[in-house]
Amino acid sequence: VAARWENDRLRMLTEAFNALAVGFAILAVPLLFDVRWTSAAWALQGAALIWVGWRQGRPIARFAGTLLQLPAGLAYLQHALFRSDCFISDWLGTVMLAAAGIFSSIVLFRPSEARTDAVSSALRVPLAIWGLLWWFSGGFVQIADSVPPSSAIGIALLFVAISALGLEWLSSRRHWPPGR
């Protein structure tokens, strides 16, 4: 209700409460879930911060969203490296990390004169690379874990081809140059 009022003091109070809610949600997630779900939630929260920062024209929120995705990836890698079975067998986690990075990059590539700044320009390509690395590494490891070795190369090529088609479609639909 206070966000709809024209009073700037109440709007600032509402934004402060929103920032506190996001901060507490980020801190509460590790207490409720294991590392895989914590890292996925942090990545999605980082993407949401980037989107909100883009909508409100706040470069600090976009930078904070990017910084939140880094510990998410590191926590996921730490969990994957210290597990006894295999490296990144939970493909859904890598898909969520990839989706957060790619979505963040797409948001930062959106054309808008008021929201283009040095932070957005510097972060949009690294976020695309981050998301694509998670997508392809998770896909290749999942193929290696679940497909017989005799057909792994063919399935991997099919995965790359379908991914390339999806990236081309995403690039043309959302005007996202890294997808090409």
Side-chain angles (χ1 to χ4, degrees):
V1 173
R4 289 186 228 142
W5 291 357
E6 296 299 321
N7 191 342
D8 284 337
R9 289 177 57 196
L10 290 177
R11 184 172 301 150
M12 288 177 52
L13 181 66
T14 303
E15 288 179 9
F17 282 146
N18 287 339
L20 284 172
V22 167
F24 284 128
I26 290 168
L27 293 174
V29 167
L31 300 174
L32 296 174
F33 301 109
D34 67 348
V35 176
R36 291 174 298 165
W37 291 108
T38 298
S39 63
W42 280 352
L44 294 177
Q45 287 171 348
L49 266 175
I50 290 172
W51 180 73
V52 167
W54 182 85
R55 296 229 358 147
Q56 295 179 352
R58 299 186 186 268
I60 293 174
R62 294 189 294 265
F63 185 68
T66 302
L67 284 182
L68 187 57
Q69 289 187 36
L70 290 175
L74 293 175
Y76 193 85
L77 279 177
Q78 178 189 13
H79 174 73
L81 289 175
F82 291 114
R83 279 196 332 207
S84 61
D85 49 355
C86 68
F87 181 76
I88 311 178
S89 67
D90 184 14
W91 192 63
L92 182 59
T94 59
V95 167
M96 292 174 84
L97 286 164
I102 291 170
F103 174 78
S104 300
S105 177
I106 289 171
V107 166
L108 294 180
F109 265 103
R110 284 184 175 172
S112 176
E113 297 82 22
R115 293 176 179 90
T116 303
D117 54 45
V119 173
S120 297
S121 298
L123 295 177
R124 57 190 182 184
V125 173
L127 281 169
I129 293 169
W130 174 262
L132 291 173
L133 280 174
W134 279 110
W135 175 256
F136 285 109
S137 65
F140 290 144
V141 170
Q142 186 67 27
I143 289 169
D145 285 347
S146 59
V147 174
S150 61
S151 59
I153 292 176
I155 299 294
L157 288 174
L158 182 64
F159 172 70
V160 169
I162 291 172
S163 297
L165 286 173
L167 287 170
E168 180 62 34
W169 176 81
L170 189 61
S171 176
S172 65
R173 182 130 166 105
R174 295 288 174 199
H175 308 290
W176 184 55
R180 293 187 182 257

